[in-house]
């Protein structure tokens, strides 16, 4: 069967971060899994290079736009190559073939009567490259998706008749309940469509960095809207508009996207395809967002996780394993070195790595590294049944994109192996002169490792290659059929010694992210800014300030700055406050003292701990001091 897997194409206005790496890792894993199963697979990734956002970024960098796009696009491609991402094509929306394909699509839609010219007047968010009607704006001005100010745009535009496809889309969602994965995300899409679709402005005249309209339109004023251009990449990559060379792979089996761009892929994209009379993708898989140490990543905070940095420190395959195991697909995930190290040490090193080392050690000692499966059936039917049961569950998890369940299930195999060794204690059997039994247990575990490696190979291709090499076989579709589908056991062979695959990690190998400092006044609090930002008294009273009594205080391990406090705000309201004051106060001295607390802040997470308030403090070059009531006041006394 043909399988076509795609990632979104990444904007070239900045280098890749772990969010991008995550999508690419999942897609690479799915593609490798399909290949392993013997499916004919095509895996596409690439870069999205047109639009106002890229044009503006290039201008800021002082480089010609194409040169700027070339450079950033190359950083993505190089990173994926370094990570051995096994893509079949890396598409760029500035490729001539792609641009021709988009023009062809425009002509087809136009000929069908789905594109017409009119005037557009509305609000445009450059950052999201999206138009919004006034009713959707926050405070009449700001983008509902990213919060940035929008621009009022009034220009002539070609429109795509999106409204025409409203019913067809709703019908498709109904008939294909697995079109959007996880299913829990489908409702937001359906509701959006049910709320009514407006025709979509698909050209722009206010800038030029985009695909020109086809010559047949005879209109040089317009360039294509970046999302029409970008979405078409999924078919132009297969030769749409040129030679259809690989169109046999369409419709895509799995299109991976982040939750923020689901709407484009689950509404606009299928509508464009219907207009082009092309079949719709089988699945759109929408994953969640990654944070770092509980905080949103942003360039200004300096806490963006660089995938290369993590890979250099911990190894790219350990990162792949971590990301796919840590987060249920569709949910948001948090990257922290602690969580990564825990998984490396307990799951990779202890469960998997040790099992391999034990088998190499025992086979060396008892049988001169020879593994023979001849007696495995005789002594280990229980374990073989349990192993085959877990192996049989894996496919469904992968088909539903539940990578964490897939890996969890796979790890049951190592538990079966480790338990068999404890229960059957081959070293005792050897002493009791039950050599066949002892060697059967060693062979059982070698078989478990072999089968598990095959199924782990889409996630950790290199590591499992080393395991397979030690076990004298090659991971490919034929070994998958032999050992997983037909449940055969390894033939007689000599095991090879390999160095430990997952050395334990004792302490973080990368610099920590800059710590969040809840009590630090914002950098901009300079006099000019203050003058420009005068507020009404009512705005001040929106902040609830109260006297708090500190009843407990302790240091946060591994943090230079943070103390964890329990603060009494009266009326049994005890709050946990994590404050960056450790350099100035000892935990002991704080207990029993009074402080001023901002009591109506949204809770925030700091180093994994919830903080439910903020202490008022004054800070200058001499240090920081807490602001306290001049005379003792009851806990909860309002300030203001
Ligand atoms: N160019 C568009 C996609 C066009 S596809 C026809 C785009 N590019 S992007 O570079 O901004 O984002 C690419 C992908 O990265 C999106 O799927 C987005 O969800 C994902 N991520 C961006 N930040 C992320 C995290 N912090 N965490 C996880 N994924 C995130 O959108």
């Amino acid at each position: 069967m043909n399988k076509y897997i795609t990632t979104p194409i990444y904007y070239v206005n900045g280098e890749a971060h772990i969010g991008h790496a995550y999508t690419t890792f999942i897609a690479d894993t799915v593609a490798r899994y399909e290949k392993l199963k013997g499916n004919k697979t095509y895996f596409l990734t690439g870069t999205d290079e047109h639009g106002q956002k890229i044009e503006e970024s290039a201008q800021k960098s002082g480089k010609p736009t194409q040169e700027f796009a070339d450079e950033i696009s190359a950083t993505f491609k190089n990173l994926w190559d370094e990570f051995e991402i096994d893509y079949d094509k890396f598409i760029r929306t500035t490729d001539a073939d792609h641009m021709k394909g988009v023009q062809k699509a425009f002509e087809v839609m136009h000929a069908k009567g789905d594109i017409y010219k009119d005037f557009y007047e509305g609000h445009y968010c450059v950052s999201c490259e999206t138009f919004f009607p006034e009713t959707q704006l926050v405070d009449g001005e700001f983008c509902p998706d990213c919060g940035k100010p929008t621009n009022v745009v009034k220009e002539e535009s070609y429109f795509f008749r999106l409204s025409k496809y409203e019913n067809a889309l709703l019908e498709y969602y109904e008939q294909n309940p697995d079109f959007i994965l996880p299913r829990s995300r489908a409702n937001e899409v359906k509701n959006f469509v049910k709320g009514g679709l407006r025709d979509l402005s698909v050209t722009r005249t206010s800038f030029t960095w985009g695909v020109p309209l086809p010559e047949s339109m005879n209109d040089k004023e317009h360039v294509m809207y970046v999302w029409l251009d970008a979405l078409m990449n999924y078919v132009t990559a297969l030769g749409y508009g040129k030679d259809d060379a690989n169109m046999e792979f369409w419709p895509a089996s799995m299109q991976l996207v982040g939750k923020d761009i689901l709407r484009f892929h689950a509404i606009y994209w299928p509508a464009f395809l219907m207009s082009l009379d092309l079949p719709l993708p089988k699945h759109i898989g929408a994953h969640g967002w990654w944070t770092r140490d509980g905080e949103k990543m942003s360039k200004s905070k300096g806490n963006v996780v660089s995938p290369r940095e993590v890979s250099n420190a911990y190894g790219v395959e350990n990162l792949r394993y971590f990301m796919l195991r840590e987060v249920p697909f569709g949910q948001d995930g948090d990257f922290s070195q602690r969580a990564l190290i825990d998984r490396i040490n307990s799951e990779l090193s202890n469960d998997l790595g040790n099992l391999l080392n034990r088998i190499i050690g025992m086979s060396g000692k008892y049988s001169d590294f020879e593994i023979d499966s001849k007696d495995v059936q005789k002594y280990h039917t229980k374990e073989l049944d349990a192993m085959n049961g877990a192996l049989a569950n894996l496919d469904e998890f992968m088909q539903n994109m539940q990578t964490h369940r897939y890996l969890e299930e796979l790890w049951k195999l190592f538990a079966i192996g480790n338990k068999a060794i404890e229960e059957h204690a081959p070293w005792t059997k050897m002493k009791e002169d039950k050599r066949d039994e002892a060697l059967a247990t060693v062979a059982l575990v070698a078989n478990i490792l072999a089968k598990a490696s095959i199924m782990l190979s889409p996630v950790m291709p290199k590591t499992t290659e080393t395991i397979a090499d030690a076990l004298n076989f090659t991971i490919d579709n034929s070994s998958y059929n032999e050992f997983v589908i037909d449940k055969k056991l390894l033939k007689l062979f000599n095991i090879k010694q390999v160095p430990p695959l997952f050395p334990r990690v004792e302490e973080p190998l990368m610099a920590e992210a800059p710590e969040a400092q809840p009590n630090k006044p914002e950098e901009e609090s300079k006099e000019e800014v203050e003058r420009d930002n005068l507020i009404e008294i009512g705005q001040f009273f929106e902040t609830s300030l109260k006297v708090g009594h500190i009843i407990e205080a302790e240091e946060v391990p591994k943090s230079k700055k943070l103390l964890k406090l329990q603060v009494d705000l009266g009326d049994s309201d005890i709050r946990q406050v994590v404050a960056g004051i450790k350099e100035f106060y000892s935990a002991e001295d704080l207990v029993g003292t009074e402080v001023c607390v901002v009591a109506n802040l949204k809770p925030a997470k700091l180093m994994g701990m919830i903080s439910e308030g903020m202490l008022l403090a004054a800070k200058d070059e001499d240090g920081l001091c807490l602001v306290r009531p001049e005379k003792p006041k009851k806990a909860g006394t309002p300030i203001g």
Side-chain angles (χ1 to χ4, degrees):
M1 217 196 292
N2 284 347
K3 296 282 173 181
Y4 181 31
I5 294 109
T6 66
T7 71
I9 45 173
Y10 303 107
Y11 282 132
V12 290
N13 59 339
E15 289 191 17
H17 57 64
I18 54 159
H20 303 133
Y22 178 57
T23 330
T24 309
F25 289 156
I26 309 178
D28 187 54
T29 299
V30 174
R32 286 175 186 269
Y33 182 80
E34 294 298 352
K35 260 185 220 165
L36 185 67
K37 285 176 63 180
N39 289 316
K40 204 169 158 199
T41 306
Y42 199 90
F43 170 22
L44 174 73
T45 189
T47 43
D48 188 356
E49 307 184 13
H50 287 127
Q52 202 170 346
K53 177 156 69 177
I54 309 299
E55 195 176 66
E56 285 178 5
S57 299
Q59 275 160 5
K60 270 188 213 144
S61 79
K63 291 188 179 141
T65 315
Q66 186 65 59
E67 190 183 318
F68 176 80
D70 289 346
E71 278 178 22
I72 308 258
S73 176
T75 65
F76 275 92
K77 188 165 184 298
N78 291 341
L79 186 70
W80 302 152
D81 290 343
E82 217 174 287
F83 285 179
E84 301 198 35
I85 301 297
D86 198 15
Y87 56 80
D88 293 286
K89 183 173 171 84
F90 185 99
I91 192 169
R92 301 183 54 188
T93 52
T94 50
D95 290 342
D97 286 346
H98 165 78
M99 293 178 42
K100 275 189 213 131
V102 179
Q103 290 173 328
K104 162 83 186 302
F106 195 94
E107 275 174 339
V108 175
M109 290 173 179
H110 185 253
K112 196 162 177 189
D114 281 350
I115 284 185
Y116 63 93
K117 202 171 184 179
D118 202 342
F119 264 92
Y120 183 82
E121 187 169 0
H123 301 260
Y124 193 71
C125 173
V126 176
S127 180
C128 298
E129 298 281 17
T130 307
F131 295 99
F132 293 99
E134 191 148 358
T135 47
Q136 282 183 20
L137 299 181
V138 176
D139 291 341
E141 183 187 353
F142 300 100
C143 169
D145 282 351
C146 73
K148 293 188 182 145
T150 53
N151 300 333
V152 178
V153 173
K154 184 178 179 192
E155 57 187 48
E156 189 186 64
S157 174
Y158 287 86
F159 284 81
F160 173 76
R161 287 190 204 280
L162 188 61
S163 55
K164 170 176 157 188
Y165 292 97
E166 219 172 277
N167 289 337
L169 285 169
L170 288 171
E171 230 167 80
Y172 189 76
Y173 305 145
E174 253 357 277
Q175 283 162 7
N176 299 275
D178 281 332
F179 173 54
I180 297 166
L181 290 175
R183 281 183 174 206
S184 55
R185 286 224 165 264
N187 267 348
E188 71 192 50
V189 172
K190 283 187 205 164
N191 289 340
F192 191 91
V193 178
K194 282 182 192 155
L197 293 177
R198 292 154 51 108
D199 289 349
L200 185 70
S201 162
V202 286
T203 66
R204 305 292 310 276
T205 53
S206 53
F207 64 95
T208 53
W209 185 242
V211 179
L213 297 202
E215 265 175 30
S216 59
M217 296 299 297
N218 207 5
D219 194 337
K220 292 202 168 28
E221 296 298 305
H222 293 251
V223 291
M224 304 258 193
Y225 172 45
V226 65
W227 272 102
L228 172 61
D229 165 5
L231 286 162
M232 288 305 302
N233 93 90
Y234 300 129
V235 288
T236 59
L238 301 178
Y240 176 86
K242 192 186 175 207
D243 52 10
D244 286 349
N246 285 311
M247 277 303 276
E248 57 168 313
F249 285 99
W250 191 259
S253 46
M254 173 57 70
Q255 301 213 263
L256 284 150
V257 299
K259 62 181 183 181
D260 54 317
I261 56 171
L262 175 61
R263 203 192 310 151
F264 297 95
H265 285 81
I267 301 174
Y268 300 174
W269 179 223
F272 293 159
L273 288 165
M274 286 179 192
S275 177
L276 297 173
D277 290 315
L278 287 173
L280 308 198
K282 297 274 180 252
H283 304 289
I284 306 285
H287 65 73
W289 269 45
W290 283 84
T291 50
R292 177 177 197 171
D293 299 315
E295 296 244 345
K296 199 168 175 227
M297 289 185 283
S298 79
K299 277 190 202 150
S300 55
K301 281 192 208 152
N303 68 344
V304 175
V305 186
S306 143
R308 185 179 275 114
E309 196 188 340
V310 186
S311 154
N312 288 344
Y314 294 95
V316 65
E317 299 213 343
N318 291 354
L319 174 63
R320 282 171 76 115
Y321 172 79
F322 168 74
M323 296 191 97
L324 268 60
R325 174 67 187 80
E326 181 79 358
V327 188
F329 183 78
Q331 293 183 19
D332 291 343
D334 186 48
F335 175 88
S336 72
Q337 295 198 72
R338 195 62 271 155
L340 172 60
I341 292 171
D342 282 351
R343 290 212 183 269
I344 293 176
N345 287 346
S346 70
E347 289 157 23
L348 294 175
S349 183
N350 277 2
D351 299 341
L352 167 55
N354 277 351
L355 199 60
L356 181 65
N357 294 344
R358 288 177 95 177
I359 282 321
I360 294 175
M362 285 193 276
S363 67
K365 215 160 155 193
Y366 309 149
S367 57
D368 202 15
F369 297 105
E370 193 177 89
I371 302 276
D372 189 344
S373 302
K374 70 182 172 41
D375 293 322
V376 176
Q377 291 277 9
K378 186 168 156 195
Y379 295 106
H380 290 293
T381 43
K382 184 181 86 183
E383 288 85 355
L384 288 176
D385 287 350
M387 174 184 77
N388 289 328
L391 285 170
N393 292 334
L394 292 174
D395 192 57
E396 198 181 334
F397 291 134
M398 189 60 92
Q399 298 307 337
N400 290 325
M401 299 305 304
Q402 293 170 299
T403 56
H404 75 297
R405 301 277 308 272
Y406 179 94
L407 290 168
E408 204 175 24
E409 193 70 14
L410 191 51
W411 249 245
K412 286 187 184 161
L413 266 66
F414 305 131
I416 295 167
N418 275 314
K419 193 159 162 239
I421 295 180
E422 294 318 317
E423 270 179 21
H424 292 265
W427 48 92
T428 316
K429 297 274 156 62
M430 287 299 284
K431 277 191 208 133
E432 292 167 353
D433 217 15
K434 294 177 180 160
R435 191 180 143 81
D436 282 357
E437 241 181 288
L439 294 189
T441 306
V442 176
L444 166 78
V445 176
N447 277 285
I448 287 179
L449 282 165
K451 290 169 203 255
S453 309
I454 295 173
M455 299 313 279
L456 182 58
S457 66
V459 181
M460 306 186 80
K462 285 273 157 214
T463 311
T464 48
E465 204 178 286
T466 311
I467 301 177
D469 189 42
L471 298 175
N472 196 41
F473 78 105
T474 309
I475 297 176
D476 54 20
N477 174 245
S478 85
S479 58
Y480 166 82
N481 283 331
E482 185 177 352
F483 298 122
V484 180
I485 300 298
D486 298 339
K487 305 188 179 76
K488 292 201 178 129
L489 298 178
L490 293 167
K491 294 180 193 88
L492 182 73
F493 71 96
N494 273 328
I495 201 165
K496 258 194 233 154
Q497 285 176 274
V498 286
L501 291 177
F502 309 102
R504 284 183 68 79
V505 182
E506 299 305 342
E507 55 189 39
L509 301 172
M510 285 161 37
E512 287 294 350
E515 252 180 40
Q517 297 179 17
N519 287 342
K520 195 178 152 199
E522 288 286 286
E523 296 256 291
E524 301 92 331
S525 59
K526 300 206 169 80
E527 277 169 15
E528 312 88 67
V529 179
E530 276 172 14
R531 263 200 313 274
D532 291 346
N533 284 331
L534 296 178
I535 60 164
E536 302 289 339
I537 184 78
Q539 284 173 276
F540 172 74
F541 284 118
E542 283 171 16
T543 311
S544 163
L545 295 172
K546 288 184 181 174
V547 173
H549 292 183
I550 299 180
I551 50 179
E552 273 175 37
E554 63 183 274
E555 298 193 344
V556 172
K558 297 214 163 77
S559 166
K560 282 196 224 109
K561 299 203 169 95
L562 298 180
L563 289 181
K564 189 167 88 178
L565 314 170
Q566 304 300 324
V567 184
D568 182 0
L569 291 186
D571 289 333
S572 311
D573 184 4
I574 311 285
R575 301 281 185 92
Q576 172 164 296
V577 175
V578 181
I581 55 174
K582 187 167 163 185
E583 290 159 283
F584 311 100
Y585 290 91
S586 77
E588 227 177 321
D589 290 346
L590 284 172
V591 177
T593 66
E594 296 187 11
V595 281
C596 299
V597 183
V598 181
N600 63 341
L601 272 186
K602 279 192 188 150
K605 246 190 179 177
L606 298 169
M607 291 191 77
M609 292 166 304
I610 291 285
S611 183
E612 303 163 306
M614 188 177 102
L615 306 188
L616 294 192
K619 190 178 178 194
D620 61 11
E621 52 288 354
D622 294 333
L624 171 147
C625 76
L626 287 166
V627 176
R628 303 177 186 281
E630 192 195 0
K631 290 184 190 149
K633 285 282 165 201
K634 268 201 277 179
T637 308
I639 303 171

PDB file of all heavy atoms in Angstrom, residues 5 88 90 102 139 145-146 156 232 239 255 262 272 384 495 498 505 577 632:
ATOM      1  N   ILE A   5       3.418  10.699   3.981  1.00  0.00           N
ATOM      2  CA  ILE A   5       3.462  11.368   5.284  1.00  0.00           C
ATOM      3  C   ILE A   5       4.107  12.739   5.113  1.00  0.00           C
ATOM      4  O   ILE A   5       5.133  12.873   4.435  1.00  0.00           O
ATOM      5  CB  ILE A   5       4.282  10.524   6.290  1.00  0.00           C
ATOM      6  CG1 ILE A   5       3.545   9.205   6.553  1.00  0.00           C
ATOM      7  CG2 ILE A   5       4.490  11.234   7.627  1.00  0.00           C
ATOM      8  CD1 ILE A   5       4.176   8.042   5.987  1.00  0.00           C
ATOM      9  N   ASP A  88      11.950  11.932   1.740  1.00  0.00           N
ATOM     10  CA  ASP A  88      12.131  11.657   0.312  1.00  0.00           C
ATOM     11  C   ASP A  88      12.291  12.940  -0.472  1.00  0.00           C
ATOM     12  O   ASP A  88      12.893  12.951  -1.532  1.00  0.00           O
ATOM     13  CB  ASP A  88      10.936  10.868  -0.228  1.00  0.00           C
ATOM     14  CG  ASP A  88      10.901   9.489   0.376  1.00  0.00           C
ATOM     15  OD1 ASP A  88      11.728   8.657  -0.029  1.00  0.00           O
ATOM     16  OD2 ASP A  88      10.095   9.253   1.300  1.00  0.00           O
ATOM     17  N   PHE A  90      12.658  17.409   0.120  1.00  0.00           N
ATOM     18  CA  PHE A  90      12.634  18.636   0.912  1.00  0.00           C
ATOM     19  C   PHE A  90      12.176  19.726  -0.050  1.00  0.00           C
ATOM     20  O   PHE A  90      12.908  20.133  -0.950  1.00  0.00           O
ATOM     21  CB  PHE A  90      14.042  18.929   1.448  1.00  0.00           C
ATOM     22  CG  PHE A  90      14.101  20.108   2.386  1.00  0.00           C
ATOM     23  CD1 PHE A  90      14.105  19.924   3.765  1.00  0.00           C
ATOM     24  CD2 PHE A  90      14.154  21.410   1.898  1.00  0.00           C
ATOM     25  CE1 PHE A  90      14.153  21.013   4.639  1.00  0.00           C
ATOM     26  CE2 PHE A  90      14.190  22.499   2.756  1.00  0.00           C
ATOM     27  CZ  PHE A  90      14.191  22.300   4.131  1.00  0.00           C
ATOM     28  N   VAL A 102       1.290  25.850  -8.095  1.00  0.00           N
ATOM     29  CA  VAL A 102       0.322  26.703  -7.404  1.00  0.00           C
ATOM     30  C   VAL A 102      -0.465  27.506  -8.447  1.00  0.00           C
ATOM     31  O   VAL A 102      -1.689  27.663  -8.344  1.00  0.00           O
ATOM     32  CB  VAL A 102       1.030  27.655  -6.412  1.00  0.00           C
ATOM     33  CG1 VAL A 102       0.021  28.546  -5.715  1.00  0.00           C
ATOM     34  CG2 VAL A 102       1.828  26.872  -5.378  1.00  0.00           C
ATOM     35  N   ASP A 139     -10.180  43.376  21.781  1.00  0.00           N
ATOM     36  CA  ASP A 139     -10.180  44.830  21.989  1.00  0.00           C
ATOM     37  C   ASP A 139     -10.211  45.588  20.670  1.00  0.00           C
ATOM     38  O   ASP A 139      -9.562  46.638  20.525  1.00  0.00           O
ATOM     39  CB  ASP A 139      -8.957  45.281  22.803  1.00  0.00           C
ATOM     40  CG  ASP A 139      -9.055  44.802  24.242  1.00  0.00           C
ATOM     41  OD1 ASP A 139     -10.172  44.468  24.661  1.00  0.00           O
ATOM     42  OD2 ASP A 139      -8.013  44.738  24.911  1.00  0.00           O
ATOM     43  N   ASP A 145      -5.435  34.984  17.755  1.00  0.00           N
ATOM     44  CA  ASP A 145      -4.566  33.813  17.886  1.00  0.00           C
ATOM     45  C   ASP A 145      -3.272  34.129  18.619  1.00  0.00           C
ATOM     46  O   ASP A 145      -2.881  33.429  19.533  1.00  0.00           O
ATOM     47  CB  ASP A 145      -4.229  33.220  16.502  1.00  0.00           C
ATOM     48  CG  ASP A 145      -5.395  32.406  15.952  1.00  0.00           C
ATOM     49  OD1 ASP A 145      -6.356  32.179  16.716  1.00  0.00           O
ATOM     50  OD2 ASP A 145      -5.352  32.031  14.779  1.00  0.00           O
ATOM     51  N   CYS A 146      -2.579  35.223  18.210  1.00  0.00           N
ATOM     52  CA  CYS A 146      -1.262  35.458  18.814  1.00  0.00           C
ATOM     53  C   CYS A 146      -1.222  36.721  19.674  1.00  0.00           C
ATOM     54  O   CYS A 146      -0.241  36.974  20.359  1.00  0.00           O
ATOM     55  CB  CYS A 146      -0.170  35.511  17.742  1.00  0.00           C
ATOM     56  SG  CYS A 146      -0.217  37.024  16.785  1.00  0.00           S
ATOM     57  N   GLU A 156      -7.877  45.399  -3.283  1.00  0.00           N
ATOM     58  CA  GLU A 156      -8.549  44.519  -4.220  1.00  0.00           C
ATOM     59  C   GLU A 156      -8.001  43.114  -4.005  1.00  0.00           C
ATOM     60  O   GLU A 156      -6.809  42.955  -3.741  1.00  0.00           O
ATOM     61  CB  GLU A 156      -8.205  45.001  -5.624  1.00  0.00           C
ATOM     62  CG  GLU A 156      -8.983  44.331  -6.705  1.00  0.00           C
ATOM     63  CD  GLU A 156      -8.467  44.779  -8.069  1.00  0.00           C
ATOM     64  OE1 GLU A 156      -7.303  44.490  -8.387  1.00  0.00           O
ATOM     65  OE2 GLU A 156      -9.235  45.433  -8.780  1.00  0.00           O
ATOM     66  N   MET A 232      -0.498  24.096  -0.930  1.00  0.00           N
ATOM     67  CA  MET A 232      -0.367  23.360  -2.194  1.00  0.00           C
ATOM     68  C   MET A 232       0.919  22.535  -2.264  1.00  0.00           C
ATOM     69  O   MET A 232       1.049  21.642  -3.098  1.00  0.00           O
ATOM     70  CB  MET A 232      -0.415  24.332  -3.377  1.00  0.00           C
ATOM     71  CG  MET A 232      -1.784  24.933  -3.658  1.00  0.00           C
ATOM     72  SD  MET A 232      -3.092  23.715  -3.886  1.00  0.00           S
ATOM     73  CE  MET A 232      -2.436  22.798  -5.248  1.00  0.00           C
ATOM     74  N   GLY A 239       4.429  16.394  -7.961  1.00  0.00           N
ATOM     75  CA  GLY A 239       4.418  16.659  -9.402  1.00  0.00           C
ATOM     76  C   GLY A 239       3.128  17.283  -9.892  1.00  0.00           C
ATOM     77  O   GLY A 239       2.926  17.429 -11.111  1.00  0.00           O
ATOM     78  N   GLN A 255      -0.980  13.651   7.650  1.00  0.00           N
ATOM     79  CA  GLN A 255      -0.399  14.992   7.578  1.00  0.00           C
ATOM     80  C   GLN A 255      -0.267  15.522   9.006  1.00  0.00           C
ATOM     81  O   GLN A 255      -1.267  15.742   9.693  1.00  0.00           O
ATOM     82  CB  GLN A 255      -1.295  15.908   6.749  1.00  0.00           C
ATOM     83  CG  GLN A 255      -1.483  15.362   5.331  1.00  0.00           C
ATOM     84  CD  GLN A 255      -1.632  16.456   4.302  1.00  0.00           C
ATOM     85  OE1 GLN A 255      -2.730  16.810   3.919  1.00  0.00           O
ATOM     86  NE2 GLN A 255      -0.506  16.996   3.848  1.00  0.00           N
ATOM     87  N   LEU A 262      -4.098  23.692  12.769  1.00  0.00           N
ATOM     88  CA  LEU A 262      -5.074  22.661  12.409  1.00  0.00           C
ATOM     89  C   LEU A 262      -6.169  23.230  11.511  1.00  0.00           C
ATOM     90  O   LEU A 262      -6.578  22.610  10.533  1.00  0.00           O
ATOM     91  CB  LEU A 262      -5.674  22.058  13.696  1.00  0.00           C
ATOM     92  CG  LEU A 262      -6.797  21.054  13.488  1.00  0.00           C
ATOM     93  CD1 LEU A 262      -6.312  19.854  12.678  1.00  0.00           C
ATOM     94  CD2 LEU A 262      -7.358  20.563  14.828  1.00  0.00           C
ATOM     95  N   PHE A 272      -9.836  23.454  -0.672  1.00  0.00           N
ATOM     96  CA  PHE A 272      -9.042  23.646  -1.904  1.00  0.00           C
ATOM     97  C   PHE A 272      -9.024  22.350  -2.714  1.00  0.00           C
ATOM     98  O   PHE A 272      -9.181  22.341  -3.940  1.00  0.00           O
ATOM     99  CB  PHE A 272      -7.587  24.028  -1.578  1.00  0.00           C
ATOM    100  CG  PHE A 272      -7.407  25.387  -0.937  1.00  0.00           C
ATOM    101  CD1 PHE A 272      -6.252  25.678  -0.196  1.00  0.00           C
ATOM    102  CD2 PHE A 272      -8.359  26.396  -1.078  1.00  0.00           C
ATOM    103  CE1 PHE A 272      -6.069  26.923   0.387  1.00  0.00           C
ATOM    104  CE2 PHE A 272      -8.183  27.649  -0.497  1.00  0.00           C
ATOM    105  CZ  PHE A 272      -7.031  27.911   0.240  1.00  0.00           C
ATOM    106  N   LEU A 384       6.562 -16.115  26.125  1.00  0.00           N
ATOM    107  CA  LEU A 384       6.374 -15.905  24.675  1.00  0.00           C
ATOM    108  C   LEU A 384       4.960 -15.388  24.396  1.00  0.00           C
ATOM    109  O   LEU A 384       4.771 -14.479  23.588  1.00  0.00           O
ATOM    110  CB  LEU A 384       6.623 -17.202  23.906  1.00  0.00           C
ATOM    111  CG  LEU A 384       8.085 -17.657  23.825  1.00  0.00           C
ATOM    112  CD1 LEU A 384       8.181 -19.001  23.110  1.00  0.00           C
ATOM    113  CD2 LEU A 384       8.954 -16.619  23.103  1.00  0.00           C
ATOM    114  N   ILE A 495      26.546 -14.009  19.643  1.00  0.00           N
ATOM    115  CA  ILE A 495      26.227 -12.616  19.976  1.00  0.00           C
ATOM    116  C   ILE A 495      27.524 -11.794  19.952  1.00  0.00           C
ATOM    117  O   ILE A 495      28.605 -12.309  20.246  1.00  0.00           O
ATOM    118  CB  ILE A 495      25.535 -12.559  21.356  1.00  0.00           C
ATOM    119  CG1 ILE A 495      24.736 -11.275  21.513  1.00  0.00           C
ATOM    120  CG2 ILE A 495      26.523 -12.702  22.500  1.00  0.00           C
ATOM    121  CD1 ILE A 495      23.751 -11.337  22.685  1.00  0.00           C
ATOM    122  N   VAL A 498      28.897  -5.274  22.534  1.00  0.00           N
ATOM    123  CA  VAL A 498      28.845  -3.845  22.153  1.00  0.00           C
ATOM    124  C   VAL A 498      29.029  -3.011  23.419  1.00  0.00           C
ATOM    125  O   VAL A 498      28.656  -3.455  24.509  1.00  0.00           O
ATOM    126  CB  VAL A 498      27.485  -3.455  21.508  1.00  0.00           C
ATOM    127  CG1 VAL A 498      27.361  -3.973  20.109  1.00  0.00           C
ATOM    128  CG2 VAL A 498      26.309  -3.903  22.350  1.00  0.00           C
ATOM    129  N   VAL A 505      23.175   9.240  32.931  1.00  0.00           N
ATOM    130  CA  VAL A 505      23.484  10.673  32.976  1.00  0.00           C
ATOM    131  C   VAL A 505      23.323  11.105  34.429  1.00  0.00           C
ATOM    132  O   VAL A 505      22.243  10.947  35.005  1.00  0.00           O
ATOM    133  CB  VAL A 505      22.517  11.477  32.078  1.00  0.00           C
ATOM    134  CG1 VAL A 505      22.881  12.955  32.101  1.00  0.00           C
ATOM    135  CG2 VAL A 505      22.530  10.940  30.660  1.00  0.00           C
ATOM    136  N   VAL A 577       3.794  30.248  47.317  1.00  0.00           N
ATOM    137  CA  VAL A 577       4.407  31.285  46.488  1.00  0.00           C
ATOM    138  C   VAL A 577       5.868  30.908  46.258  1.00  0.00           C
ATOM    139  O   VAL A 577       6.605  30.645  47.209  1.00  0.00           O
ATOM    140  CB  VAL A 577       4.318  32.664  47.175  1.00  0.00           C
ATOM    141  CG1 VAL A 577       5.062  33.728  46.367  1.00  0.00           C
ATOM    142  CG2 VAL A 577       2.857  33.078  47.371  1.00  0.00           C
ATOM    143  N   PRO A 632       2.410  45.516  62.574  1.00  0.00           N
ATOM    144  CA  PRO A 632       1.789  44.205  62.341  1.00  0.00           C
ATOM    145  C   PRO A 632       0.331  44.354  61.913  1.00  0.00           C
ATOM    146  O   PRO A 632      -0.397  45.192  62.443  1.00  0.00           O
ATOM    147  CB  PRO A 632       1.869  43.525  63.719  1.00  0.00           C
ATOM    148  CG  PRO A 632       2.929  44.259  64.463  1.00  0.00           C
ATOM    149  CD  PRO A 632       2.979  45.652  63.929  1.00  0.00           C
TER     150      PRO A 632
END
